[in-house]
Amino acid sequence: MSEWKTRITKIQVAKPQGSADGACLVLIYPPGPEMGKRFPLDKPEFVVGRGNDCDIQVDRDSVSRRHARIFCATGDTSDLEAWKVQDLGSTNGSYVNDQPIQEAALRDGDFLKIGAAIFKFLTGDNVEMSYHEEIYRMTIVDGLTGVHNKRFFVEFLERELARCERHGRPLSLAMFDIDHFKQVNDQYGHLTGDHVLKEMAKRLTARIRRDELLARYGGEEFAAVLPETDRKGALEFGEQIRQIVSKDPFVFEGDSISVTISVGIAVMEGEQVELGSFVKMADENLYKAKRGGRNQVIG
């Protein structure tokens, strides 16, 4: 797959802070130097695609040369209820909030997926404030899965290690990833792989309690921090998420894919443990689960 970049042409600078009639797209995925870039929608129509003649260029293999059209149905760019997106017969389709579309209205906060790139559509009286809030959100949340990212995970785990040590309470960490994930990407394509990651995070979020944390650690690897959970509880948690993932296949574009995960557990019960050592302990157990046949929990 080629290196990708996002480029915008024929688009002027953003409206000044306080503008009441702004609309824009913000690139939120994948990570890279262009993530967070804002594309003001200050004319009635824009074409998004890989081609050099596109108003918003996304140089990525999963994006068609002319992929989609973003347009204001009334021609008045300040009419914030009139913005729509139309797929231009792209190879991989266009999606609004994960639903495939031919043409659909865009509303404030909608997620627009063009190939493997994800944009967020922002409008309204406080579009400038919304933009800066989204930029902050991108520093702590993974743009694809919607769970917290590695940076937030590290900060959260540091706080919990200190708190649990101070009060003499147990703390558990589960590290897990998808078995044979490369085969999923190779056989079905990276868009399907992205769907599996996102759907898995959605399934597991329903199991995470308020005081716990689910994060994408990197690639297909995830982590769950379980405050005040002892070894028995952590192993039960690991088995629960293993079953949640493997119980039902993941379905995308007509393909049904069976997925399993391997889980490694680390537990702190009274002793002082450094963050790096704690993560390494869980990671080593994860790889023991991999070497032992996968689709299992080791702790």
Side-chain angles (χ1 to χ4, degrees):
M1 181 174 291
S2 65
E3 292 292 325
W4 82 286
K5 59 184 178 179
T6 307
R7 187 179 68 191
I8 183 169
T9 60
K10 306 178 184 178
I11 297 181
Q12 299 176 10
V13 297
K15 295 177 183 296
Q17 186 170 351
S19 172
D21 59 355
C24 67
L25 293 175
V26 181
L27 181 69
I28 66 169
Y29 186 84
E34 300 291 341
M35 190 174 72
K37 189 168 185 177
R38 173 168 53 178
F39 302 88
L41 301 179
D42 55 0
K43 66 178 186 176
E45 180 175 328
F46 297 84
V47 174
V48 183
R50 198 177 67 247
N52 292 329
D53 58 339
C54 292
D55 302 293
I56 301 176
Q57 187 184 24
V58 183
D59 189 9
R60 194 167 176 84
D61 291 346
S62 59
V63 177
S64 296
R65 194 183 69 80
R66 291 173 61 85
H67 196 109
R69 180 170 73 108
I70 313 294
F71 65 99
C72 183
T74 62
D76 178 3
T77 58
S78 65
D79 186 354
L80 303 182
E81 300 298 315
W83 284 101
K84 295 185 175 183
V85 56
Q86 178 186 42
D87 187 77
L88 298 177
S90 66
T91 300
N92 291 311
S94 302
Y95 296 77
V96 174
N97 299 328
D98 290 328
Q99 298 300 312
I101 59 97
Q102 291 301 315
E103 182 174 309
L106 289 171
R107 297 290 180 258
D108 183 44
D110 280 350
F111 294 95
L112 172 62
K113 187 174 183 181
I114 303 293
I118 303 175
F119 297 86
K120 191 168 186 179
F121 179 72
L122 298 177
T123 67
D125 294 345
N126 295 314
V127 67
E128 189 74 17
M129 181 182 297
S130 297
Y131 170 70
H132 289 292
E133 288 175 350
E134 187 62 30
I135 292 299
Y136 169 71
R137 181 178 179 275
M138 288 164 52
T139 67
I140 63 173
V141 173
D142 176 58
L144 176 66
T145 62
V147 301
H148 284 100
N149 59 19
K150 183 177 179 179
R151 172 181 173 178
F152 188 86
F153 159 77
V154 170
E155 294 174 352
F156 183 89
L157 183 55
E158 283 181 334
R159 291 195 302 270
E160 288 302 316
L161 281 167
R163 187 181 70 84
C164 288
E165 179 188 345
R166 184 167 60 251
H167 296 290
R169 295 168 181 168
L171 175 68
S172 294
L173 171 65
M175 302 289 289
F176 55 96
D177 70 9
I178 298 173
D179 297 326
H180 302 299
F181 186 67
K182 184 178 184 300
Q183 293 181 12
V184 175
N185 282 329
D186 291 346
Q187 183 174 351
Y188 299 101
H190 287 272
L191 294 182
T192 300
D194 284 353
H195 172 79
V196 169
L197 291 170
K198 188 168 186 176
E199 179 62 22
M200 188 182 79
K202 182 179 178 181
R203 291 185 189 183
L204 297 183
T205 296
R207 168 56 186 82
I208 298 296
R209 301 188 178 97
R210 180 175 297 181
D211 61 339
E212 298 171 343
L213 175 78
L214 175 66
R216 186 181 181 191
Y217 193 73
E220 68 270 26
E221 188 171 6
F222 290 76
V225 182
L226 312 172
E228 302 190 29
T229 301
D230 60 15
R231 185 175 303 278
K232 179 182 176 182
L235 291 172
E236 290 175 351
F237 171 86
E239 183 59 26
Q240 287 171 3
I241 63 172
R242 188 194 67 78
Q243 293 182 20
I244 289 171
V245 173
S246 62
K247 180 180 178 182
D248 298 310
F250 292 73
V251 179
F252 182 71
E253 298 292 315
D255 293 319
S256 181
I257 306 151
S258 295
V259 172
T260 63
I261 59 173
S262 298
V263 186
I265 301 293
V267 182
M268 182 186 81
E269 295 181 292
E271 74 281 13
Q272 182 178 359
V273 181
E274 293 185 356
L275 185 145
S277 299
F278 199 47
V279 172
K280 183 179 179 181
M281 189 188 313
D283 237 0
E284 287 176 347
N285 283 333
L286 166 59
Y287 285 102
K288 286 180 183 177
K290 292 284 190 184
R291 292 192 297 269
R294 297 181 169 84
N295 192 24
Q296 60 182 304
V297 182
I298 298 292

